[in-house]
Amino acid sequence: MLCGLLFHTLSRHGVRVEKPSQRRPNFIIVLADDIGWGDLGANQGDNGSNTPHLDHMAQQGIRLTDFHSPASTCSPSRASLLTGRYGLRTGVTRNFAVGSMGGLPLAETSLAQLLQGAGYHTAAVGKWHLGHRGPYLPTNRGFKYYLGIPYSNDMGCTDEPGYDLPKCPSCDPGTHTHRSLQLIGRRGGGCSTNVALPLFENDSIVEQPLDLWGLTQRYTDAALSVIRHAREQGQPYLLYMALAHMHVPLSPSPPPAPRPLHPVRPPVDDGIYAASLREMDGLVGALKSASEGTNTLIWFTGDNGPWEQKCQYAGSVGPFQGKWQTSRGGGSAKRTTWEGGHRVPTVAYWPGHVPANSSSSALLSGMDIFPTLLSLAGVSPPTDRRYDGIDATDVLLHGAQTGHEFLLHPNSGAAGRYGDLQSVRIGNYKAFYITGGAEACDGRTGRPVLHDPPLIFNLRGGEAEDTALEEGTQEYQEVLEQVTRKREELLWDIANDQSVSTADYTTNQSAAPCCEPQHEACRCRPPGSASTHTHVSLIRNNTIT
């Protein structure tokens, strides 16, 4: 049967359940946004680093070098991470909008719901992007506490915009009102200006527009309070930390005076992006320090690759350059199924459990976080649905180098229908039934091209994806047979899956988050006023005060 359905098969017979006397681990999932594989210093050899804390975690933990986001864009990737299922099963195949009526279908069961039901304290801090109306909010999907932006940080205006291309305009108190806004979205890849960017706490908007420049500190304070509260209550916890970094607009705080950390490589100064990367790394370092000695697994990864059209505000794909595509026009990172779009930097850190200074080239996916954490917590998932993630415990703890036998990458906007599985990875080979390039820094795109038979690349020694195998060779024909069979098996399985959900992608003006419909851009506070934020110190009854 399919390797991706392994966890489903195990769960039907019951997975291991921890004895009550055993101490269950805490989990911190750190999900960076639009981050490149090459942004992690530990992935770049001796070329300098802007991620000393993450590099140190890699030295003390494991670096997963062949780890992939479940999709190459925001909402589908997050839905798959939290459910362990491809977007064709969850119904989440493209991003939700400011005016979206729906979100992650209510028939889907999230990792947080299962862990909360097993006695975990659950909290989400940061970007959600899986629905912001009533039942779709994080607090109704298994998270007891939530603080964050309901979608991407460029999907609303702020009074002091961050760095973006094109430049984000500030909220104009004389131009837009909520009553007259048209849900036209963004133009030219820039920031939305119709509705101010909201900050939610639990199910309420606490600030609109929020202060981007203080967001990192607010997120840090909230996360540390979650950790402290769970420790005081003697309760295991799941902290889902979905960062605004490295998505535009970038808004790095002024850096503190430099001080020694660890004997690592010097920082690479590439301006605003590098400063933002260092700020993100500092946040991760704060989480690591707060969780030391508390039986906590920290799993850092990304939701997709860098957004190339943002030029100097985009990250590095490292060696995964998708040259076959870039030589024909267009970018090969976010929104594409080239390696740069979904191969993301990933580090797992758990002192005393994950072997220090280790690495694995096992083929893994963000979908594997769901079954792996449930396995480590001794929690069985529902048996009425099928899963695509695999339990990676042996990779993390025991040095196993075997992951997925095969993995499919969904279309994410550059070519083909959203969510369709038209790129296949099997071993070191990767097949494309369709190719296409997202908008690059130079403004060019690559037109969609169907391939029948598919293009096939050997990634061993050819990670740049520049030269496809010749169709007439024995190597090509052997790989083609495997790719065809595995892809057809999975598509047949999904077509006959009774647990497939359908997401509601309808939009309506009334769905846009708005704390004060009578005020310009839905403003909760007048221009120039101080933030309404109260310093985070303690969590009580679902509220940070």
Side-chain angles (χ1 to χ4, degrees):
M1 195 57 185
L2 301 178
C3 179
L5 301 180
L6 173 62
F7 190 63
H8 167 64
T9 303
L10 291 175
S11 69
R12 296 180 70 88
H13 297 90
V15 295
R16 173 179 54 84
V17 177
E18 296 281 5
K19 297 177 181 179
S21 59
Q22 288 184 292
R23 186 180 170 207
R24 290 179 295 176
N26 307 309
F27 303 120
I28 300 177
I29 302 171
V30 183
L31 186 67
D33 202 342
D34 289 4
I35 193 167
W37 190 92
D39 288 337
L40 177 66
N43 281 343
Q44 291 284 48
D46 296 322
N47 297 323
S49 176
N50 288 309
T51 58
H53 293 285
L54 279 165
D55 296 345
H56 195 236
M57 282 173 54
Q59 291 171 3
Q60 297 179 322
I62 187 170
R63 188 168 55 96
L64 303 172
T65 60
D66 202 355
F67 193 96
H68 301 262
S69 59
S72 297
T73 192
C74 305
S75 297
S77 185
R78 293 156 198 272
S80 292
L81 184 153
L82 291 173
T83 64
R85 288 153 57 88
Y86 281 117
L88 286 183
R89 297 194 200 271
T90 68
V92 181
T93 56
R94 63 183 192 273
N95 288 342
F96 293 103
V98 173
S100 284
M101 299 293 288
L104 177 66
L106 302 181
E108 294 295 315
T109 301
S110 77
L111 173 66
Q113 288 171 297
L114 294 171
L115 290 178
Q116 186 181 56
Y120 272 70
H121 177 68
T122 55
V125 176
K127 174 178 174 178
W128 180 237
H129 217 168
L130 291 174
H132 50 266
R133 286 171 54 85
Y136 300 104
L137 283 166
T139 48
N140 291 315
R141 306 313 300 267
F143 292 101
K144 185 176 182 182
Y145 178 78
Y146 174 61
L147 178 76
I149 305 173
Y151 31 65
S152 296
N153 53 327
D154 64 343
M155 294 172 66
C157 63
T158 59
D159 288 334
E160 297 181 53
Y163 295 91
D164 194 3
L165 284 176
K167 184 178 180 181
C168 295
S170 61
C171 293
D172 185 345
T175 302
H176 298 290
T177 65
H178 180 60
R179 287 182 179 273
S180 64
L181 86 89
Q182 299 295 314
L183 296 176
I184 57 175
R186 291 164 286 174
R187 293 175 177 172
C191 294
S192 173
T193 59
N194 293 323
V195 181
L197 194 64
L199 182 70
F200 273 73
E201 186 171 38
N202 296 321
D203 59 357
S204 301
I205 298 173
V206 294
E207 187 177 327
Q208 190 174 14
L210 61 79
D211 174 18
L212 276 178
W213 300 88
L215 190 61
T216 299
Q217 189 60 55
R218 295 184 75 161
Y219 282 178
T220 303
D221 289 346
L224 298 185
S225 289
V226 167
I227 294 171
R228 183 166 58 250
H229 171 76
R231 181 181 297 173
E232 291 171 354
Q233 298 299 312
Q235 191 176 11
Y237 65 85
L238 165 68
L239 172 59
Y240 173 52
M241 197 79 188
L243 306 180
H245 304 81
M246 301 297 298
H247 199 293
V248 291
L250 303 175
S251 52
S253 301
R259 58 186 178 86
L261 174 66
H262 304 293
V264 296
R265 299 176 297 280
V268 178
D269 188 4
D270 291 322
I272 298 301
Y273 190 88
S276 299
L277 198 56
R278 290 192 290 269
E279 182 182 61
M280 179 204 73
D281 182 72
L283 189 159
V284 175
L287 296 177
K288 176 178 177 291
S289 296
S291 62
E292 292 288 15
T294 60
N295 192 31
T296 301
L297 167 62
I298 302 177
W299 197 323
F300 174 90
T301 188
D303 72 334
N304 50 248
W307 200 355
E308 283 184 278
Q309 73 182 78
K310 298 302 178 178
C311 302
Q312 71 266 33
Y313 302 138
S316 166
V317 296
F320 305 104
Q321 298 174 31
K323 287 185 177 181
W324 188 96
Q325 182 63 58
T326 58
S327 67
R328 291 162 172 81
S332 60
K334 179 178 178 176
R335 302 181 68 234
T336 79
T337 54
W338 298 99
E339 288 294 289
H342 50 75
R343 191 183 291 228
V344 288
T346 305
V347 172
Y349 168 80
W350 189 8
H353 298 272
V354 172
N357 200 27
S358 57
S359 66
S360 175
S361 59
L363 179 59
L364 297 174
S365 163
M367 294 186 293
D368 304 334
I369 292 175
F370 176 93
T372 304
L373 298 196
L374 289 180
S375 176
L376 293 172
V379 177
S380 298
T383 58
D384 61 348
R385 63 201 63 204
R386 298 174 182 176
Y387 301 92
D388 301 295
I390 62 171
D391 183 353
T393 298
D394 283 345
V395 174
L396 296 184
L397 306 187
H398 307 303
Q401 296 292 322
T402 302
H404 287 263
E405 180 186 355
F406 70 99
L407 186 67
L408 280 80
H409 305 295
N411 298 339
S412 297
R417 188 174 67 177
Y418 281 102
D420 280 2
L421 300 170
Q422 292 183 274
S423 298
V424 187
R425 175 73 184 277
I426 186 163
N428 292 309
Y429 296 94
K430 186 175 176 185
F432 291 83
Y433 287 88
I434 192 170
T435 55
E439 184 175 339
C441 178
D442 61 10
R444 299 171 64 201
T445 58
R447 65 183 182 87
V449 179
L450 290 170
H451 301 279
D452 184 16
L455 287 180
I456 298 179
F457 295 85
N458 186 346
L459 299 181
R460 176 172 291 174
E463 62 266 15
E465 294 173 300
D466 52 356
T467 305
L469 299 180
E470 293 290 338
E471 293 178 11
T473 63
Q474 181 179 351
E475 181 182 19
Y476 178 94
Q477 293 300 322
E478 290 176 352
V479 175
L480 176 62
E481 188 277 329
Q482 296 179 63
V483 164
T484 302
R485 175 167 48 86
K486 292 297 184 181
R487 179 170 178 261
E488 288 180 351
E489 287 177 354
L490 179 60
L491 293 179
W492 176 258
D493 183 81
I494 293 174
N496 290 277
D497 184 357
Q498 298 302 307
S499 67
V500 166
S501 298
T502 301
D504 179 5
Y505 277 101
T506 60
T507 60
N508 189 287
Q509 175 176 316
S510 65
C514 188
C515 61
E516 184 47 73
Q518 302 304 319
H519 286 191
E520 298 84 357
C522 300
R523 183 179 296 279
C524 285
R525 56 188 178 90
S529 68
S531 168
T532 57
H533 174 52
T534 301
H535 181 69
V536 178
S537 59
L538 187 63
I539 300 178
R540 290 192 181 94
N541 300 324
N542 255 39
T543 304
I544 289 184
T545 58

